[in-house]
Amino acid sequence: DAGVTQSPTHLIKTRGQHVTLRCSPISGHKSVSWYQQVLGQGPQFIFQYYEKEERGRGNFPDRFSARQFPNYSSELNVNALLLGDSALYLCASSLEAGEGYTQYFGPGTRLTVL
Amino acid sequence: AQTVTQSQPEMSVQEAETVTLSCTYDTSENNYYLFWYKQPPSRQMILVIRQEAYKQQNATENRFSVNFQKAAKSFSLKISDSQLGDTAMYFCAFMKHEGIGADGLTFGKGTHLIIQP
């Protein structure tokens, strides 16, 4: 079975631009979560979506938004990019949301903001 | 809010040795879940082991086992018979048993484990 997939693998943008990152969950998984991992740190929670509804949001500015589609895939959007947004963005899927359902991670999208 | 602390930024052991990675956490929750994830240089985050807080028995997965001490809020990972492929960043992570809303996983800063040949 295919794991979590993310696209693109790498992305280079300039300050002020907008970016869209995409994620396809493991087949049968209904929940998708997004994390930001800055170099040398552990991932930080951005969003969790379940059945197309936002279930949770981390401490990130409104420039970050996301959505989940009927096929459970998801997009993460970041507006007005800052240099500090340079990071590895990880998507994780789980069967359901909450209650300790294990999250399985994709390979990530490396975003560089110049 | 929950916090996860990994006090060992880097560890190095010889192949076939046993190594223990430390993790402590702070929470006011009674029901929660703890995880160890491995992130090799390829950057793919891989689940190593999972522990439910309501289970007293320590989880094991082949060469990997945990020592879960709920009262002490400690969750260490033991790797037996270490192999070169175990070289990676290891992250300890916490997830609360939420009813409404979600905080996702809370990660520590990681321990870089190097297995020497």
Side-chain angles (χ1 to χ4, degrees):
Chain A
D1 285 344
V4 177
T5 60
Q6 292 185 244
S7 63
T9 305
H10 296 91
L11 205 51
I12 299 175
K13 293 285 188 178
T14 56
R15 280 178 298 174
Q17 285 190 313
H18 161 271
V19 68
T20 298
L21 310 181
R22 295 177 176 84
C23 171
S24 292
I26 293 170
S27 178
H29 284 197
K30 299 177 183 176
S31 181
V32 169
S33 298
W34 288 94
Y35 294 83
Q36 180 195 65
Q37 186 178 20
V38 173
L39 194 63
Q41 301 290 323
Q44 278 199 292
F45 173 67
I46 309 175
F47 287 111
Q48 184 179 79
Y49 275 78
Y50 175 66
E51 293 282 12
K52 297 175 287 180
E53 298 289 328
E54 181 184 304
R55 280 211 43 170
R57 184 186 185 112
N59 188 23
F60 279 81
D62 292 343
R63 299 185 296 108
F64 289 77
S65 64
R67 55 179 176 168
Q68 187 177 31
F69 299 100
N71 67 353
Y72 302 111
S73 67
S74 177
E75 284 182 354
L76 175 70
N77 296 283
V78 187
N79 292 324
L81 285 167
L82 303 174
L83 295 179
D85 295 331
S86 294
L88 181 70
Y89 287 84
L90 296 167
C91 172
S93 77
S94 55
L95 271 172
E96 304 280 339
E99 298 188 9
Y101 283 97
T102 298
Q103 296 189 4
Y104 298 91
F105 284 81
T109 293
R110 168 70 64 191
L111 172 65
T112 301
V113 182
L114 301 176
Chain B
Q2 289 68 230
T3 59
V4 176
T5 302
Q6 294 179 249
S7 58
Q8 305 149 312
E10 185 170 288
M11 296 186 71
S12 180
V13 299
Q14 296 295 122
E15 194 175 6
E17 288 185 345
T18 294
V19 60
T20 298
L21 309 183
S22 300
C23 172
T24 58
Y25 58 94
D26 188 26
T27 184
S28 58
E29 303 285 331
N30 189 49
N31 291 328
Y32 51 87
Y33 305 84
L34 296 163
F35 304 83
W36 279 98
Y37 282 90
K38 164 186 176 181
Q39 189 175 42
S42 66
R43 307 293 286 173
Q44 178 95 38
M45 192 78 76
I46 301 164
L47 176 70
V48 175
I49 201 164
R50 160 201 166 100
Q51 175 80 43
E52 293 88 350
Y54 60 85
K55 289 187 177 179
Q56 291 188 338
Q57 185 174 7
N58 290 324
T60 63
E61 285 289 340
N62 301 311
R63 298 183 295 108
F64 300 87
S65 61
V66 298
N67 184 3
F68 173 48
Q69 301 289 329
K70 190 173 183 180
K73 295 180 182 176
S74 171
F75 183 60
S76 61
L77 174 69
K78 185 172 85 170
I79 306 174
S80 303
D81 185 27
S82 58
Q83 301 173 358
L84 296 178
D86 294 334
T87 293
M89 284 293 293
Y90 285 80
F91 291 97
C92 178
F94 173 102
M95 179 192 290
K96 68 179 185 179
H97 182 100
E98 74 271 350
I100 300 174
D103 292 342
L105 287 160
T106 300
F107 285 87
K109 291 188 175 182
T111 295
H112 185 206
L113 176 64
I114 301 168
I115 309 299
Q116 306 276 9

